[in-house]
């Protein structure tokens, strides 16, 4: 009688945890290239003769596997994330295509319509920034730029990836917004962040908007009213919000962290309000 | 000249108010008399305004109809708000996947294909594909 071992399909993060466990990874940042090679996959980098709209690929042929990452991606952290993303295609059950060719669009697809690209990103996020470690860190440190910078440094990821991961796992009411050309390009908020974030054109009531007007943006966190960033009903006019915008002049982008001051106090008030 | 125009405006305003007040009190105001009191230069327009008031009164909806219309408008606003919200979230999703990079051009795709084949051969030697 043949023995068939049924292995249920894990979540993308589950496959990442499996890799970390099997390869006994305990220190971070993760050396993704090493993990890829330990999985029996060849790893190469190429500048693809200057083609920028291509980040990386996984090629599987005749039992051989190869991951190539575009070396012209300007940041090592980004190349690392791309490599982890391609490893995700290799590891996740059901990602059976012989070839995965991924563009920046796919790698950024944290809300993607393409489910397999989304899953590969979930895998990469867990591989590089394991949930348990990030939760533990966020339990001890408040959501702010210093914490995000520390996460980015300690886990070898970009500031944006670290901010996204922190917002995803933070118990605090917080959000991250990326703007370009005076518009909000995308945003993500934590589970406990109840309010609607504005979309479209940046409000003049935000510090991020100043960057696109050629004005100075304050370096530290700034306290402001809610209307610049929030929309919809039920927003108290006296609600205070903290905006901390970081400008990337070379990319023409602004990364904004939003959170509330004295979160604990407010939550306590809500708890007693019965 | 400006003062004259203002004076006429006020006069017309007063005549229109008298007409509407009389109607609201259930009376039958003497239109011909009001028209006679209106300055000649403004009479044609005044007659038009009186007619408009008559039309609006004739088509005045009942309170229940007004309530129904109000509900319909609220539903419409809610529906539109939902549509805008959805369009907003579609926009964000689209932007989330496309803010940084553009599509590969056919030429770039050719370069990528060639590079992949070259690297694969370098790594594993000649393959069938």
């Amino acid at each position: 009688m043949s023995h068939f071992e049924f292995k249920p399909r894990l979540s993308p993060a589950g496959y990442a945890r499996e890799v970390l466990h099997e390869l006994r990874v305990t220190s971070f940042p993760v050396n993704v290239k090493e993990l890829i090679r330990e999985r029996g996959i060849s790893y190469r980098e190429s500048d693809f003769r200057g083609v920028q709209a291509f980040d990386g690929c996984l090629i599987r042929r005749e039992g051989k596997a190869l991951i190539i990452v575009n070396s012209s991606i300007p940041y090592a952290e980004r190349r690392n994330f791309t490599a982890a993303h391609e490893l995700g295609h290799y590891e996740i059950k059901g990602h059976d295509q012989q070839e995965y060719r991924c563009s920046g669009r796919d790698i950024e697809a944290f809300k993607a319509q393409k489910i397999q690209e989304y899953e590969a990103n979930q895998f990469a996020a867990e591989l590089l920034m394991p949930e348990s470690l990030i939760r533990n860190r966020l339990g001890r440190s408040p959501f702010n730029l210093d914490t995000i910078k520390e996460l980015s440094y300690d886990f070898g990821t970009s500031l944006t990836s670290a901010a996204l991961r922190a917002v995803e796992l933070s118990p605090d009411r917080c959000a991250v917004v990326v703007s370009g050309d005076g518009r909000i390009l995308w945003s993500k908020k934590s589970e406990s962040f109840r309010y609607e974030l504005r979309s479209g054109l940046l409000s003049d009531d935000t510090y991020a908007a100043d960057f696109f007007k050629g004005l100075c943006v304050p370096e530290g966190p700034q306290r402001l009213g809610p209307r610049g960033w929030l929309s919809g009903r039920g927003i108290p006019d006296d609600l205070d919000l903290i905006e901390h915008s970081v400008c990337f002049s070379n990319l023409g982008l602004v990364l904004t962290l939003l959170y509330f001051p004295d979160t604990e106090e407010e939550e306590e008030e809500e708890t007693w309000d019965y | 000249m400006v003062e004259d125009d203002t004076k006429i405006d006020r006069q017309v305003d007063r005549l229109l108010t008298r007409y509407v007040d009389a109607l609201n009190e259930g009376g039958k105001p003497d239109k011909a008399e009001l028209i006679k009191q209106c300055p000649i230069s403004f009479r044609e327009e005044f007659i038009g305004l009186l007619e408009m008031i008559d039309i609006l009164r004739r088509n005045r909806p009942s309170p229940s109809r007004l309530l129904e219309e109000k509900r319909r408008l609220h539903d419409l606003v809610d529906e539109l708000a939902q549509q805008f919200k959805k369009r907003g979230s579609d926009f964000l999703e689209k932007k989330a996947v496309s803010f940084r990079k553009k599509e590969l051009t056919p030429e770039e795709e050719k370069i990528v294909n060639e590079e992949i084949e070259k690297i694969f051969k370098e790594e594993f030697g000649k393959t069938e594909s």
Side-chain angles (χ1 to χ4, degrees):
Chain A
M1 198 174 117
S2 65
H3 176 68
F4 176 74
E5 189 194 356
F6 175 73
K7 216 173 168 190
R9 191 175 192 272
L10 301 173
S11 67
Y15 287 105
R17 283 193 285 271
E18 209 171 54
V19 170
L20 292 172
H21 177 72
E22 284 174 14
L23 299 181
R24 297 172 206 281
V25 177
T26 51
S27 65
F28 292 83
V30 171
N31 186 335
V32 183
K33 289 178 207 171
E34 209 171 276
L35 295 191
I36 286 172
R37 289 191 176 118
E38 282 190 52
R39 287 312 239 191
I41 307 162
S42 292
Y43 178 84
R44 290 282 295 269
E45 290 191 0
S46 162
D47 67 358
F48 288 92
R49 286 182 255 158
V51 174
Q52 299 210 332
F54 179 79
D55 276 19
C57 61
L58 166 70
I59 310 291
R60 278 186 286 216
R61 288 179 198 160
E62 302 156 19
K64 294 158 187 153
L66 167 68
I67 285 174
I68 313 173
V69 169
N70 193 336
S71 60
S72 66
I73 297 170
Y75 302 104
E77 294 87 358
R78 176 83 189 189
R79 293 198 292 277
N80 222 25
F81 193 91
T82 303
H85 172 102
E86 300 306 335
L87 179 61
H89 283 311
Y90 182 84
E91 296 287 343
I92 299 168
K93 193 175 172 181
H95 288 216
D96 298 327
Q97 285 171 220
Q98 281 203 314
E99 293 191 6
Y100 284 92
R101 297 176 180 212
C102 306
S103 68
R105 291 160 50 125
D106 301 322
I107 309 294
E108 283 154 0
F110 70 87
K111 272 176 155 184
Q113 292 91 341
K114 292 182 189 172
I115 185 71
Q116 291 199 340
E117 297 306 328
Y118 174 78
E119 287 184 341
N121 282 344
Q122 296 285 95
F123 175 95
E126 179 66 18
L127 190 80
L128 299 171
M129 295 174 277
E131 182 177 337
S132 56
L133 298 183
I134 302 293
R135 276 197 197 280
N136 186 286
R137 187 73 75 88
L138 291 168
R140 288 185 279 122
S141 313
F143 179 91
N144 59 31
L145 189 64
D146 288 340
T147 303
I148 304 295
K149 275 182 180 169
E150 274 174 26
L151 289 177
S152 159
Y153 180 78
D154 292 347
F155 291 89
T157 64
S158 68
L159 205 60
T160 309
S161 295
L164 273 171
R165 193 67 168 150
V167 162
E168 193 177 41
L169 302 173
S170 175
D172 293 341
R173 296 184 294 161
C174 55
V176 57
V177 183
V178 170
S179 321
D181 205 17
R183 304 184 71 88
I184 291 169
L185 300 176
W186 55 260
S187 59
K188 190 179 175 78
K189 53 186 187 171
S190 67
E191 252 183 56
S192 55
F193 195 101
R194 290 173 303 181
Y195 303 106
E196 286 293 319
L197 286 166
R198 290 175 71 136
S199 57
L201 276 178
L202 274 170
S203 159
D204 283 343
D205 296 335
T206 65
Y207 290 97
D210 289 349
F211 171 75
F212 299 102
K213 292 179 200 159
L215 301 172
C216 281
V217 177
E219 277 185 15
Q222 303 294 321
R223 196 179 270 244
L224 73 172
R227 298 287 161 192
W229 289 105
L230 308 182
S231 69
R233 294 174 189 167
I235 304 165
D237 284 331
D238 60 351
L239 187 71
D240 271 344
L241 193 63
I242 301 283
E243 169 185 344
H244 196 160
S245 285
V246 185
C247 307
F248 300 97
S249 302
N250 55 334
L251 301 171
L253 297 173
V254 179
L255 174 78
T256 301
L257 305 179
L258 297 173
Y259 48 98
F260 294 95
D262 311 323
T263 306
E264 283 172 18
E265 273 176 36
E266 282 173 26
E267 276 172 5
E268 264 175 35
E269 276 172 24
E270 280 170 17
T271 314
W272 287 99
D273 186 22
Y274 58 89
Chain B
M1 189 67 192
V2 175
E3 269 183 28
D4 286 351
D5 282 350
T6 314
K7 209 172 161 188
I8 293 172
D9 282 351
R10 279 193 198 137
Q11 202 176 342
V12 171
D13 228 28
R14 269 199 299 273
L15 291 171
L16 284 172
T17 308
R18 264 170 61 193
Y19 184 63
V20 173
D21 284 350
L23 286 173
N24 285 343
E25 281 164 17
K28 280 189 179 172
D30 187 347
K31 261 197 204 176
E33 179 57 32
L34 290 168
I35 291 167
K36 208 190 286 177
Q37 288 177 35
C38 180
I40 296 169
S41 62
F42 207 79
R43 238 172 235 179
E44 202 177 327
E45 202 169 334
F46 183 67
I47 292 167
L49 287 170
L50 291 179
E51 273 172 23
M52 201 180 283
I53 290 169
D54 289 344
I55 291 168
L56 286 172
R57 279 188 68 82
R58 273 202 300 277
N59 293 302
R60 191 171 55 178
S62 63
S64 63
R65 173 82 193 280
L66 272 176
L67 198 67
E68 196 185 309
E69 281 295 303
K70 197 174 154 193
R71 281 194 195 121
R72 198 182 62 80
L73 274 172
H74 277 197
D75 288 349
L76 189 66
V77 168
D78 278 350
E79 197 190 317
L80 283 172
Q82 288 300 324
Q83 278 182 24
F84 277 119
K85 205 169 161 188
K86 189 180 178 310
R87 278 171 63 182
S89 102
D90 287 351
F91 167 81
L92 282 180
E93 287 204 6
K94 204 174 157 201
K95 284 294 179 186
V97 298
S98 64
F99 84 93
R100 204 175 69 91
K101 292 287 177 77
K102 55 185 191 308
E103 294 279 351
L104 277 179
T105 63
E107 216 169 278
E108 288 175 328
E109 198 157 349
K110 196 175 157 226
I111 293 171
V112 168
N113 285 341
E114 285 170 4
E115 284 294 303
I116 289 173
E117 289 311 315
K118 194 184 99 191
I119 294 168
F120 200 90
K121 274 176 196 161
E122 282 171 8
E123 280 292 316
F124 303 114
K126 217 171 182 183
T127 62
E128 282 171 19
S129 32

